[in-house]
Amino acid sequence: MKKFMDQDFLLSTETAKILYHEYAEKTPILDYHCHINPQEIAEDRHFENITQVWLGGDHYKWRQMRSNGVEERYITGDASDREKFQKWAETLEKAIGNPLYHWSHLELKQYFGYEGDLNGDTAEEVWNLCNEKLAQPEMSARGIMKASGVTLICTTDDPIDDLRWHKVIKEDETFDIQVLPAWRPDRAVSIEKPDFADYTKQLAEVAGVEIKTFADWKCAITKRMEFFNEMGCKASDHGLLYIPYVEATEEEIDAILAKRLGGEVLSEDEEMKFKTACMLYLGKEYKRLDWGMQLHFGVTRNNNTKMFNKIGADTGFDGIYNRVPITELASYLDALCKEDKLPKTVLYSLNPTDNASIGTLLGCFQESDAVGKIQQGSAWWFNDHKTGMTEQMISLANLGLLGNFIGMLTDSRSFLSYTRHEYFRRILCELIGQFVENGEYPWNQERLGTMVKNISYNNAARYFGFTLETV
């Protein structure tokens, strides 16, 4: 029996152990997509207790607490932080096989030196240990990032954001971790949303452009993109149910926009025409600016209306969409490709059954202007567990080039989540180790070590064009 989460956790072969301990473990962290609040970095936030840094905003944990019958007041309600932590500890001990069990204990080990297992009985011990550690000066937001080996992160930012906190961080010469904005224009594209007209007014005001036509919308969007570009932005990100593709003329789009800004309800066809026009324009602009375009799709949002009305979005009530039309995605990529305006693109589907479809689509649009120009993103959200990561990488290896993969990201709001990179790297080394030990790939330590470092760090640095030294 192996010891619980020892130094060779998830590593079953000698090859995997060599690749992890001599290469992956020592490689710094580049987190090119996360939801960290840049204000907390700018102000170097200190957390009062482990609940604040661990449970605040973490809908992954909230879902599991609900599955354990925990009352909502102990999850998002007015219970004390100590009570909330107790309920999480009691839930965690039942989470065998869940990535939260591994992530939580990796975090406890790396940041707090705790080697045991968190459960209802040990909650008081762990609470006191973590809070004592968090009281130390080096356990601030910036200190945690430095201790984690982070070199660069990309946050998630709306086009109307003034990026004031990014500016503060950029001008602070005492902090050498790059914190770059990433463009997330969902609200500008989601014409069906109730607040679209109000948001468009805000966009117009920030950009200094009155928006009445689609040409006006494009002008305002371009002005904001230029501002983001000046602030170091290298990547966009979209959250979509699926990628729309319904062609329309500029005159049709003008009429649709005017209709919606006038308060009228659109048909589904009209919504799709507007969104398609927006996505085509944005894709061309990303190509011009040499940004990477990240497309996250396949999620059904806010399935529990009662809870959405009570506590809002992003609280743990989203699920996997089961009918993503890959043909529309192909048409979208093809439309950009025909004009030589296809940007570097990363495709993430929340549905793991899309792995093979995406894997084959990648090969249709690869070009020599970027190595691995069209990427399948790492296993995302409900799939970033051991099985999901392994299946995604096996599919990518089967249908593409695993060696050009841009690797892991946290997609997280927590400063303790950088251990997800460790989790991914252990799984990566285990997979490669199995290929080698099964005689499916030759043992060449230098080549394989370089491959592991590239997937863990260098490929993403090169892909997005970050100003980082390769390792």
Side-chain angles (χ1 to χ4, degrees):
M1 180 187 299
K2 290 187 67 174
K3 181 182 177 182
F4 171 61
M5 291 184 68
D6 64 4
Q7 66 174 2
D8 294 327
F9 172 57
L10 298 179
L11 308 173
S12 66
T13 67
E14 289 306 310
T15 301
K17 294 172 186 177
I18 291 170
L19 293 177
Y20 179 74
H21 292 302
E22 296 193 20
Y23 299 95
E25 187 175 21
K26 301 173 183 179
T27 301
I29 288 174
L30 191 173
D31 201 33
Y32 56 86
H33 174 63
C34 74
H35 296 276
I36 290 290
N37 184 347
Q39 181 177 351
E40 295 182 337
I41 301 173
E43 296 177 343
D44 200 18
R45 179 181 176 182
H46 282 75
F47 300 90
E48 295 177 11
N49 58 60
I50 184 62
T51 296
Q52 289 185 6
V53 72
W54 233 17
L55 294 175
D58 193 337
H59 52 78
Y60 283 74
K61 294 186 177 77
W62 295 350
R63 287 172 67 99
Q64 300 311 318
M65 293 169 76
R66 294 183 188 117
S67 296
N68 200 34
V70 176
E71 294 179 36
E72 195 65 29
R73 68 177 296 261
Y74 296 104
I75 303 171
T76 61
D78 61 359
S80 69
D81 286 347
R82 177 63 184 88
E83 290 174 309
K84 290 178 178 180
F85 183 77
Q86 183 68 36
K87 295 297 184 182
W88 168 240
E90 293 169 0
T91 298
L92 187 63
E93 66 181 84
K94 298 179 182 179
I96 184 170
N98 192 293
L100 285 169
Y101 196 86
H102 295 151
W103 295 348
S104 296
H105 285 92
L106 285 172
E107 291 169 19
L108 288 173
K109 184 176 183 178
Q110 177 169 328
Y111 298 109
F112 303 102
Y114 183 70
E115 300 279 354
D117 67 289
L118 174 59
N119 54 63
D121 294 334
T122 61
E124 179 69 15
E125 173 193 0
V126 176
W127 170 263
N128 291 328
L129 170 66
C130 291
N131 293 345
E132 182 181 343
K133 293 276 189 179
L134 286 169
Q136 298 174 4
E138 63 270 18
M139 284 295 285
S140 64
R142 294 186 179 191
I144 292 170
M145 293 175 72
K146 289 182 178 180
S148 302
V150 176
T151 61
L152 184 152
I153 71 167
C154 293
T155 56
T156 305
D157 308 279
D158 191 277
I160 66 174
D161 197 306
D162 63 9
L163 304 183
R164 58 177 294 199
W165 299 111
H166 288 87
K167 190 172 187 293
V168 170
I169 297 166
K170 188 176 182 179
E171 294 176 349
D172 187 347
E173 296 181 356
T174 67
F175 188 61
D176 60 358
I177 297 174
Q178 295 185 57
V179 180
L180 303 181
W183 172 265
R184 180 77 174 239
D186 292 358
R187 294 180 69 196
V189 174
S190 299
I191 196 169
E192 80 284 5
K193 298 293 186 182
D195 66 345
F196 177 79
D198 290 337
Y199 178 82
T200 302
K201 291 178 182 178
Q202 292 177 280
L203 175 61
E205 182 178 346
V206 171
V209 176
E210 185 177 14
I211 300 178
K212 291 186 176 180
T213 67
F214 189 51
D216 298 334
W217 183 93
K218 290 188 286 188
C219 181
I221 282 292
T222 298
K223 285 192 172 187
R224 298 308 297 165
M225 291 180 74
E226 294 288 359
F227 169 63
F228 269 61
N229 197 55
E230 291 171 4
M231 291 296 294
C233 181
K234 294 287 187 180
S236 69
D237 180 58
H238 295 259
L240 300 159
L241 179 62
Y242 56 85
I243 311 304
Y245 195 78
V246 182
E247 294 180 339
T249 65
E250 184 98 0
E251 290 74 21
E252 286 181 276
I253 303 302
D254 284 343
I256 292 168
L257 180 59
K259 183 178 177 179
R260 187 70 186 97
L261 293 178
E264 295 186 53
V265 177
L266 302 179
S267 68
E268 183 178 354
D269 185 64
E270 289 172 322
E271 291 176 13
M272 291 301 103
K273 285 180 177 179
F274 180 80
K275 289 182 176 181
T276 301
C278 293
M279 292 299 296
L280 287 171
Y281 181 74
L282 288 167
K284 294 172 185 178
E285 287 296 282
Y286 301 152
K287 173 68 173 179
R288 178 179 67 85
L289 295 168
D290 195 30
W291 288 5
M293 175 171 67
Q294 298 179 89
L295 302 176
H296 286 84
F297 53 89
V299 55
T300 56
R301 301 280 183 181
N302 309 313
N303 295 295
N304 187 326
T305 304
K306 181 184 75 171
M307 293 305 294
F308 173 71
N309 292 336
K310 183 178 180 180
I311 58 178
D314 300 321
T315 52
F317 299 99
D318 302 327
I320 294 174
Y321 185 61
N322 199 37
R323 296 187 300 277
V324 175
I326 297 295
T327 52
E328 278 81 352
L329 172 58
S331 296
Y332 171 65
L333 298 177
D334 187 50
L336 292 171
C337 185
K338 283 188 292 189
E339 297 185 35
D340 290 325
K341 296 294 177 65
L342 179 62
K344 295 172 292 189
T345 302
V346 189
L347 304 174
Y348 308 82
S349 175
L350 196 57
N351 194 327
T353 62
D354 292 332
N355 281 342
S357 296
I358 291 174
T360 58
L361 195 59
L362 304 180
C364 298
F365 296 99
Q366 302 291 16
E367 296 177 314
S368 60
D369 56 342
V371 175
K373 178 175 179 175
I374 314 299
Q375 290 272 338
Q376 181 181 14
S378 62
W380 168 46
W381 197 345
F382 296 123
N383 302 309
D384 55 5
H385 43 71
K386 183 176 68 170
T387 302
M389 290 182 188
T390 302
E391 289 180 349
Q392 183 267 341
M393 285 190 281
I394 288 176
S395 180
L396 180 57
N398 286 341
L399 299 169
L401 291 176
L402 182 61
N404 287 338
F405 182 31
I406 59 173
M408 187 57 175
L409 48 96
T410 64
D411 192 26
S412 172
R413 294 166 175 81
S414 171
F415 285 96
L416 298 184
S417 63
Y418 297 113
T419 53
R420 295 183 191 181
H421 284 263
E422 175 186 343
Y423 191 60
F424 166 82
R425 292 174 185 184
R426 287 177 179 273
I427 293 167
L428 168 67
C429 292
E430 173 68 5
L431 177 62
I432 292 177
Q434 289 175 1
F435 288 152
V436 173
E437 303 241 353
N438 286 339
E440 299 175 49
Y441 192 91
W443 170 244
N444 182 307
Q445 184 168 338
E446 182 179 357
R447 183 194 306 157
L448 289 165
T450 298
M451 183 182 296
V452 165
K453 291 194 295 183
N454 285 344
I455 296 171
S456 299
Y457 186 83
N458 294 327
N459 287 348
R462 297 187 187 108
Y463 185 81
F464 289 104
F466 298 131
T467 54
L468 295 169
E469 292 184 9
T470 55
V471 296

